[in-house]
Amino acid sequence: MLKLLQNENPDSSWITQDTTKTLLDTCSEVVLPLINNDENIMKKMIDWVKASQDSEFNANNVITEAIGIAAPQIGKNVNMYYILLPILNKDETITYYEHALINPKIIGRSEQIAALKKGEGCLSVTTKHHEGLVPRSYKIKVTGFDYLKNKKVSLTIRGYEAIVFQHEQDHLEGKLFYHHINKENPWHSNEEWIII
Ligand SMILES: [Zn+2]
């Protein structure tokens, strides 16, 4: 049984859509330790993603399944996001890659580019389809304060995970995945890119 961190049930009305201007604004730094309102935003992000992946809570797909969410998508333009990636192991067990970052920064990037072969999706992009490859750095170094670990972390991330982080980091700068898609040729790929 899923245990929520705050007392409201995740609901689709929580999500700010890309038709709302605040989603295209930049976010501000978060003061630590978290004030009540910021902590509630963090808890709402964690609850949304966990509930969306919970087969019992979301049995009827009442909310859209997500692997990551950023604070401006859920009501406040502050530098925080949450990522919960289920990774299937060879023996069929699942390992969760989980980070709740406050004031995250990408401090290093590979020149190598990677992109997801089917493109990207977003909880805040539902009114219009935006298809195409989204070029990202294959490898990044991220620093930030992890709410769950209660300490500063420094992460080196590659491949699919790195793409998810860059998608969420973009939200803090008012950017959406489709801003990176080649307008003339959406599925254009360079032969040096890694397509995942
Ligand atoms: Zn998004």
Side-chain angles (χ1 to χ4, degrees), residues 73 122 167 171:
Q73 293 182 277
C122 180
H167 178 115
H171 277 300

Side-chain angles (χ1 to χ4, degrees), residues 178-194:
Y178 54 77
H179 295 147
H180 300 288
I181 296 174
N182 184 312
K183 284 189 187 65
E184 280 79 51
N185 189 359
W187 294 105
H188 165 80
S189 139
N190 183 307
E191 59 184 23
E192 281 154 18
W193 294 359
I194 296 174

Side-chain angles (χ1 to χ4, degrees), residues 23 68-70 73 120-125 136 164 167-168 170-171 175-177:
L23 205 65
I69 192 168
Q73 293 182 277
E120 296 182 20
C122 180
L123 287 174
S124 298
V125 181
R136 305 278 192 190
V164 176
H167 178 115
E168 301 310 336
D170 264 1
H171 277 300
K175 283 186 251 165
L176 297 168
F177 73 87

